[in-house]
């Protein structure tokens, strides 16, 4: 079990580097989630109000979603004028994926809200913006968070790929580990990546409970999570 | 290769237009074949694992929690790290990379198959059972055709992810479309770097399009008009929204 | 009750999220050094130097050696490791993000002047100043005294292969050329010193197997399991010695000389600092690189900075 010992010893011996890379990794994974939500919700609302626009946006975003991350990381500097080493490329690429995935599920969520609820809000004198922010949006939080959870897990895994083109993240432990013939270092990178994904997911579950105090967590939300892959593609 | 301009878009266009890059063992068509070879082999293994497992769990309902959490963990695995780790630990060659990619492909296929089977309306299943169908017949004649749309959705998602991620193989074993990115960086050839990225994107979009067509034509004609998956999804979403709305007002 | 407490819960969640993000950003701010586009200069005290390194261990080790010696000599210095490939860190040097970086004379010359024909160590050193000046007219870049240490590309074979075919130099491959497959990165097929160069200089067209880890563990594995019989591996790689590999001589200089030397911004690296760096170069040998690489990439897996610190104290350069 020497290798296990090596893995455990690696962490305290390289704590500064790990802290730095984890920080870089988190920023590149979390910023796209925030930007994704902030952009996808208004876009989804826009799509619901204009059918032809909706078709264009949904098709466009699903094509963007298909473009592999490495190609996107390489290509974005051309369009943005950023350095190829810049974290901005990774953040923008992952934001695009997040919007593509969230927009569709947000449209579905907003569409699924009972008209009776909306009409009740209108009857109470809510203007459209207020109704959207205080009725429609909170009611679609569970679907939104289910999407965000999928994005956060894939983001954490995808950020590593940036290391191939020199963007700092936990992925550097993989590239450096290969050149140094150091499988333990790669293993540490994998374990840290898994832990980050787990912690972020727990925080999101917590966030959902805080934002939707009227629901109790049900078995159904777990099944939703599993079905999301199939659903986004099947839809 | 010499470019007529320092403009990166021009270089990209010239690289893509140069016939030299479309022939030979290092040409674009050969790299596409290598790439799709990895995808095919990976999906074969992934489906051999995920399809029976997903059907079993979907049909019996046993081990649901186990696969849901297993899928969650697998999804979070960084494939780049797995490719490099397997390359160092096991023999060189194609297989270590393929196994790393299999770990990537199993979660979407498994969740698609499982939720496809599990989504079939239980009254339909009960009706089949009361007609005297065996469990195997129920699975193959009722659950699979009814859940096929969702199941294929999972396979499609898996293919898409593997096509995208197989690019990282080039950083260890020099195969597939990722090679253009590696070479482009190493010899500072931006035409190749960006042209290669375009080829990868086009291949991914094309493969996904083909999968979408397959998905459409594989559906039993009796179900095609009704689109049961889409409908039941809307209904469950609606129920969920209604439930939360009620919860919120009481 | 629920709808009264909801806004507070939302606010609390948002604040938690914001706090987490701030913490994450703060963490990266500490690590901003590794981003060459980042404001590297601002977080170093005025007048201090920044040593960069390329994205492979040997470069990191030498960068740590430079920085350690400079700090010991009273010149305040920080290290920005892992910048990336030559093109990228050269740009970082031009735009002032870093002040100096360990370099290899031959490859540096080919970057500054792709048409250069110099092959021997002296020719390369003679050609470098003009090439740098014409490649970067807006910066005052230059190289300092070269060290004796060299790390160049080489073709290696196993001891068994060497014995079986009587191999000492690359030219000895020629009589049995068709039996050999060479393992190297894909780009070896198009480099001037690659397959074409070997065929031209030694009359041997080798078979080829692409392995993209830059002469790393996968290349070694392929050589040892006889997937390839010849491999391109750098001369300071400890696995050469560990596996009893034979480096084929290169009398025709297919692989040009690659002496280790500091590439510096002459405007910011002053006389005092130059003197210290010259002292380091006077001490650094190829054997040192081999053993330093062994410490960092061998079984020990030492931190490059620690290995560098030991080397400095062995050579009395740690102040």
């Amino acid at each position: 079990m020497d290798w296990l010992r090596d893995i455990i010893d690696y962490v305290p011996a390289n704590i500064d580097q790990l802290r730095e890379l984890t920080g870089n990794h988190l920023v590149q994974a979390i910023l796209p989630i925030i930007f994704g939500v902030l952009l996808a919700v208004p876009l989804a609302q826009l799509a619901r109000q204009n059918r032809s626009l909706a078709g264009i946006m949904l098709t466009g975003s699903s094509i963007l979603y298909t473009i592999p991350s490495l190609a996107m990381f390489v290509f974005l500097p051309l369009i943005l004028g950023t350095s190829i080493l810049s974290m901005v490329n990774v953040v923008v690429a992952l934001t695009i994926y997040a919007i593509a995935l969230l927009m569709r599920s947000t449209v579905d969520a907003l569409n699924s809200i009972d008209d009776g609820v909306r009409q009740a809000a209108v009857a109470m004198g809510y203007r459209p913006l207020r109704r959207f922010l205080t009725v429609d949006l909170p009611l679609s939080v569970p679907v939104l968070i289910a999407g965000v959870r999928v994005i956060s897990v894939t983001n954490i895994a995808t950020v590593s790929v940036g290391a191939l083109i020199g963007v700092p993240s936990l992925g550097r432990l993989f590239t450096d580990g290969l050149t140094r013939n150091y499988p333990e270092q790669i293993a540490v990178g994998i374990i840290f990546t898994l832990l980050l994904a787990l912690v972020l997911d727990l925080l999101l579950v917590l966030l959902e409970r805080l934002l939707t105090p009227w629901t109790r967590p049900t078995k159904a939300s777990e099944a939703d999570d599993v079905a999301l892959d199939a659903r986004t593609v099947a839809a | 290769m010499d470019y007529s301009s320092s403009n990166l878009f021009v270089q990209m266009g010239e690289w893509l237009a140069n016939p030299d890059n479309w022939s030979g063992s290092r040409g674009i068509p050969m790299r596409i074949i290598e790439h799709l070879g990895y995808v095919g082999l990976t999906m074969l293994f992934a489906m051999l694992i995920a399809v029976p497992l997903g059907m079993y769990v979907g049909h019996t309902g046993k081990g649901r929690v186990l696969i849901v959490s297993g899928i969650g963990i697998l999804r979070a695995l960084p494939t780049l790290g797995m490719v490099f780790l397997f390359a160092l630990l096991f023999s060189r060659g194609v297989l270590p990379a393929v196994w790393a990619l299999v770990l990537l492909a199993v979660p979407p296929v498994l969740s698609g198959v499982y939720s496809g089977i599990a989504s079939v309306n239980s009254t339909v299943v009960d009706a089949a059972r009361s007609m005297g169908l065996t469990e195997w017949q129920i699975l193959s004649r009722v659950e699979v055709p009814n859940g096929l749309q969702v199941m294929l959705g999972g396979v499609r998602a898996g293919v898409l992810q593997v096509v995208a991620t197989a690019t990282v193989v080039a950083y260890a074993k020099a195969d597939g479309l990722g090679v253009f990115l590696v070479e482009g960086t190493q010899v500072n050839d931006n035409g190749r770097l960006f042209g290669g990225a375009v080829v990868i994107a086009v291949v991914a979009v094309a493969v996904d399009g083909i999968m979408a067509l397959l998905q459409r034509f594989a559906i039993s004609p009796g179900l095609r008009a009704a689109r049961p998956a889409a409908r039941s999804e809307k209904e469950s979403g609606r129920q969920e929204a209604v439930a939360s709305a009620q919860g919120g007002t009481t | 009750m629920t709808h009264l407490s909801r806004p507070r819960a939302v606010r609390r969640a948002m604040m938690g999220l914001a706090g987490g993000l701030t913490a994450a950003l703060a963490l990266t701010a500490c690590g901003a050094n590794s981003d060459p586009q980042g404001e590297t200069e601002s977080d170093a005290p005025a007048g201090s130097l920044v040593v960069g390194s390329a994205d492979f261990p040997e470069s990191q080790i030498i960068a740590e050696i430079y920085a350690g010696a400079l700090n010991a000599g009273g010149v305040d210095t920080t290290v920005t490791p892992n910048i990336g490939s030559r093109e990228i860190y050269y740009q970082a040097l031009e735009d002032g993000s870093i002040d100096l970086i360990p370099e290899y004379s031959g490859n540096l010359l080919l970057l500054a002047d792709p048409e250069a024909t110099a092959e021997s160590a002296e020719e390369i050193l003679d050609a470098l100043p003009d090439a740098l000046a014409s490649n970067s007219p807006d910066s005052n870049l230059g190289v300092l005294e070269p060290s004796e240490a060299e790390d160049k590309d080489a073709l290696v074979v196993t001891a068994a292969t060497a014995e079986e075919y009587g191999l000492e130099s690359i030219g000895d491959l020629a009589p049995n050329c068709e039996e050999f497959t060479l393992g190297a990165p894909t780009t070896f097929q198009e480099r001037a010193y690659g397959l074409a160069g070997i065929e031209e200089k030694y009359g041997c067209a080798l078979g080829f197997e692409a392995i993209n880890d830059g002469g790393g563990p996968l290349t070694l594995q392929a050589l040892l399991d006889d997937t390839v019989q010849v491999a391109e591996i750098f001369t300071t790689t400890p696995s050469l010695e560990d596996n009893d590999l034979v480096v084929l001589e290169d009398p025709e200089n297919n692989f040009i000389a690659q002496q280790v030397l500091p590439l510096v911004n002459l405007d910011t690296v002053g006389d005092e600092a130059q003197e210290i760096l010259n002292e380091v170069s006077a001490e650094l040998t190829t054997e040192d690189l081999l053993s330093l690489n062994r410490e960092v990439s061998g079984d020990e897996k030492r931190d490059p900075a620690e290995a560098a610190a030991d080397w400095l104290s062995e050579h009395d350069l740690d102040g």
Side-chain angles (χ1 to χ4, degrees):
Chain A
M1 291 306 223
D2 274 355
W3 55 271
L4 192 60
R5 210 197 156 81
D6 287 342
I7 289 174
I8 295 166
D9 289 348
Y10 181 92
V11 177
N14 297 277
I15 191 70
D16 287 344
Q17 187 202 21
L18 281 172
R19 193 179 299 144
E20 177 188 327
L21 295 179
T22 307
N24 287 333
H25 203 102
L26 271 180
V27 169
Q28 293 171 74
I30 293 176
L31 285 182
I33 298 178
I34 294 169
F35 294 150
V37 172
L38 289 181
L39 291 168
V41 170
L43 283 176
Q45 179 66 1
L46 214 62
R48 285 181 62 230
Q49 285 161 355
N50 185 333
R51 287 215 162 259
S52 56
L53 194 66
I56 296 169
M57 286 192 332
L58 290 178
T59 316
S61 69
S62 68
I63 289 178
L64 283 177
Y65 190 72
T66 315
I67 295 175
S69 55
L70 192 57
M72 197 89 112
F73 295 163
V74 167
F75 209 75
L76 278 174
L78 263 190
I79 297 162
L80 303 175
T82 43
S83 147
I84 195 162
L85 279 184
S86 171
M87 282 196 248
V88 173
N89 306 323
V90 176
V91 170
V92 172
L94 295 185
T95 303
I96 292 173
Y97 296 140
I99 293 172
L101 202 146
L102 281 179
M103 200 164 76
R104 189 177 288 276
S105 61
T106 311
V107 168
D108 286 349
L110 291 173
N111 279 340
S112 70
I113 291 168
D114 196 325
D115 258 351
V117 178
R118 281 211 189 89
Q119 280 159 14
V122 173
M124 284 167 71
Y126 280 35
R127 284 166 189 280
L129 183 66
R130 185 175 171 208
R131 197 201 72 200
F132 178 72
L133 291 177
T134 58
V135 180
D136 295 28
L137 193 58
L139 287 180
S140 46
V141 159
V143 179
L144 210 54
I145 296 244
V148 167
R149 285 176 64 189
V150 170
I151 293 167
S152 98
V153 169
T154 43
N155 274 8
I156 293 278
T158 312
V159 165
S160 315
V161 175
L164 289 177
I165 48 166
V167 184
S169 71
L170 287 172
R172 178 161 294 155
L173 299 177
F174 307 150
T175 51
D176 192 50
L178 183 70
T179 53
R180 288 171 73 189
N181 192 11
Y182 200 173
E184 290 84 359
Q185 180 175 317
I186 298 179
V188 169
I190 293 172
I191 294 167
F192 264 64
T193 313
L194 287 178
L195 286 178
L196 279 191
L198 187 72
V199 169
L200 216 53
D201 197 52
L202 289 177
L203 287 177
L204 285 170
V205 174
L206 209 66
L207 184 68
E208 182 182 5
R209 292 181 77 165
L210 288 174
L211 291 180
T212 59
W214 61 87
T215 56
R216 291 280 161 268
T218 58
K219 292 277 176 195
S221 67
E222 273 175 50
D224 265 4
D225 197 29
V226 177
L228 201 71
D229 264 317
R231 195 191 296 169
T232 45
V233 175
Chain B
M1 117 172 222
D2 295 321
Y3 296 106
S4 66
S5 157
S6 64
N7 180 301
L8 295 175
F9 283 102
V10 173
Q11 294 189 357
M12 184 182 90
E14 286 180 3
W15 185 83
L16 286 170
N18 188 336
D20 289 352
N21 297 324
W22 288 90
S23 63
S25 65
R26 303 172 64 207
I28 296 168
M30 195 61 209
R31 294 298 185 204
I32 292 178
I33 291 170
E34 285 171 4
H35 201 86
L36 295 181
Y38 274 94
V39 176
L41 205 55
T42 302
M43 289 311 295
L44 180 72
F45 288 144
M47 286 171 70
L48 282 176
I49 297 168
V51 172
L53 191 60
M55 284 184 175
Y56 176 79
V57 178
H59 180 73
T60 62
K62 286 177 193 159
R64 208 183 64 89
V65 177
L66 207 66
I67 66 157
V68 169
S69 46
I71 285 169
I73 291 171
L74 282 184
R75 229 198 269 277
L77 274 184
T79 310
L80 180 67
M82 298 311 289
V83 169
F84 286 1
L85 185 67
F86 285 5
L88 282 183
L89 293 183
F90 308 117
S91 72
R92 248 166 26 87
V94 173
L95 280 179
V98 169
W99 284 120
L101 291 172
V102 167
L103 290 177
L104 174 78
V106 161
V109 178
L110 186 56
S111 71
V113 172
Y114 155 73
S115 46
I117 300 285
S119 71
V120 177
N121 197 323
S122 61
T123 54
V124 177
V125 176
D126 289 342
R129 198 166 279 136
S130 66
M131 285 165 67
L133 270 64
T134 64
E135 290 304 305
W136 177 248
Q137 285 171 327
I138 292 174
L139 181 66
S140 61
R141 294 188 194 170
V142 178
E143 288 175 331
V144 170
N146 277 287
L148 199 57
Q149 177 88 8
V150 177
M151 290 168 68
L152 287 176
V155 175
R156 182 175 160 197
V159 169
L160 186 58
Q161 288 188 16
V162 177
V163 168
T165 314
T167 47
V168 308
V169 172
Y171 288 81
K173 178 106 178 68
D175 285 334
L177 288 169
V179 171
F180 295 125
L181 307 186
V182 181
E183 292 180 345
T185 334
Q186 276 178 9
V187 299
N188 204 23
D189 177 352
N190 287 316
R192 195 182 325 183
L193 180 64
F194 297 119
V198 169
V199 174
I200 294 169
V202 169
V203 167
V205 173
V207 168
D208 191 55
I210 293 168
M211 291 302 295
L213 286 180
L214 280 181
Q215 197 180 357
R216 184 162 302 168
F217 288 113
I219 303 305
S220 152
L223 294 166
R224 211 172 285 164
R227 305 247 320 179
R231 200 181 56 199
S232 71
E233 179 192 310
K234 271 219 180 85
E235 272 172 8
S236 75
R238 191 186 163 86
Q239 282 159 4
E240 196 178 277
V242 170
S244 30
Q246 285 165 348
T249 45
T250 46
Chain C
M1 283 302 280
T2 37
H3 54 268
L4 276 180
S5 65
R6 203 196 313 163
R8 198 191 297 160
V10 172
R11 204 160 54 228
R12 208 165 49 205
M14 287 305 174
M15 281 170 65
L17 199 66
L21 192 69
T22 320
L25 285 168
L27 275 170
T28 5
C30 310
N33 273 356
S34 57
D35 183 2
Q37 294 335 96
E39 279 65 44
T40 333
E41 287 138 308
S42 61
D43 52 328
S48 80
L49 295 177
V50 181
V51 187
S53 95
D55 53 1
F56 55 93
E58 186 174 273
S59 178
Q60 289 172 44
I61 300 169
I62 305 172
E64 293 288 352
I65 287 179
Y66 288 168
L70 287 168
N71 278 322
V75 181
D76 208 1
T77 309
T78 56
V79 179
T80 296
N82 265 317
I83 295 180
S85 67
R86 181 162 281 107
E87 288 75 19
I88 294 164
Y89 63 66
Y90 191 87
Q91 210 182 323
L93 200 67
E94 282 184 320
D95 72 17
S97 308
I98 60 172
D99 301 297
L100 71 149
I101 190 159
E103 256 297 5
Y104 301 90
S105 57
N107 284 337
L108 177 61
L109 179 62
L110 287 180
L111 174 85
D113 176 12
E115 311 293 315
T117 52
E119 288 175 349
S120 74
E122 295 75 34
E123 286 169 358
I124 290 171
L125 291 177
D126 286 346
L128 266 173
D130 285 348
L132 288 172
S134 59
N135 192 46
S136 317
D138 299 332
S139 327
N140 189 10
L141 302 187
V143 292
L144 303 182
E145 292 291 315
S147 69
E148 179 207 306
E150 187 177 44
D151 176 10
K152 64 197 274 188
D153 306 71
L155 296 192
V156 305
V157 295
T158 60
T161 309
E163 197 175 333
E164 187 181 347
Y165 295 94
L167 303 176
E168 277 179 15
S169 128
I170 300 176
D172 297 336
L173 293 168
N176 303 295
C177 213
E178 65 286 352
E179 293 179 40
F180 298 115
T181 298
L182 168 79
T186 44
T187 45
F188 196 77
Q189 296 167 91
E190 57 192 276
R191 302 261 193 203
Y193 59 77
L195 291 180
I198 290 168
E199 185 170 1
E200 187 191 320
K201 292 196 163 102
Y202 295 101
C204 176
L206 293 157
F208 187 76
E209 166 89 14
I211 308 167
N212 267 353
D213 68 340
L218 305 181
T219 309
L220 176 70
Q221 222 173 12
L223 188 65
L224 295 179
D225 67 20
D226 208 35
T227 309
V228 301
Q229 293 71 45
V230 188
E232 187 204 24
I233 296 183
F234 293 101
T235 48
T236 56
T237 311
S239 60
L240 293 182
E241 221 172 277
D242 300 344
N243 297 282
D244 219 8
L245 301 181
V246 177
V247 175
L248 298 178
E249 285 164 28
D250 180 21
E252 303 287 333
N253 284 324
N254 177 55
F255 299 107
I256 61 175
Q258 304 285 359
Q259 282 176 288
V260 173
L261 40 66
L263 170 63
V264 304
N265 181 343
L266 294 167
D267 289 337
T268 54
V269 179
D271 292 343
E272 191 191 355
Q274 293 190 16
E275 227 165 87
I276 296 170
L277 291 166
N278 286 341
E279 280 174 41
V280 170
S281 292
E283 296 284 329
L284 192 67
T285 65
T286 306
E287 288 69 38
D288 289 342
L289 290 186
L290 252 169
S291 66
L292 287 165
N293 278 331
R294 183 190 307 284
E295 289 173 35
V296 171
S297 301
D299 289 340
E300 234 181 309
K301 311 286 182 205
R302 293 191 72 189
D303 185 59
E306 279 176 34
D310 280 3
W311 184 89
L312 286 168
S313 75
E314 281 162 28
H315 292 80
D316 275 338
L317 288 165
D318 57 346

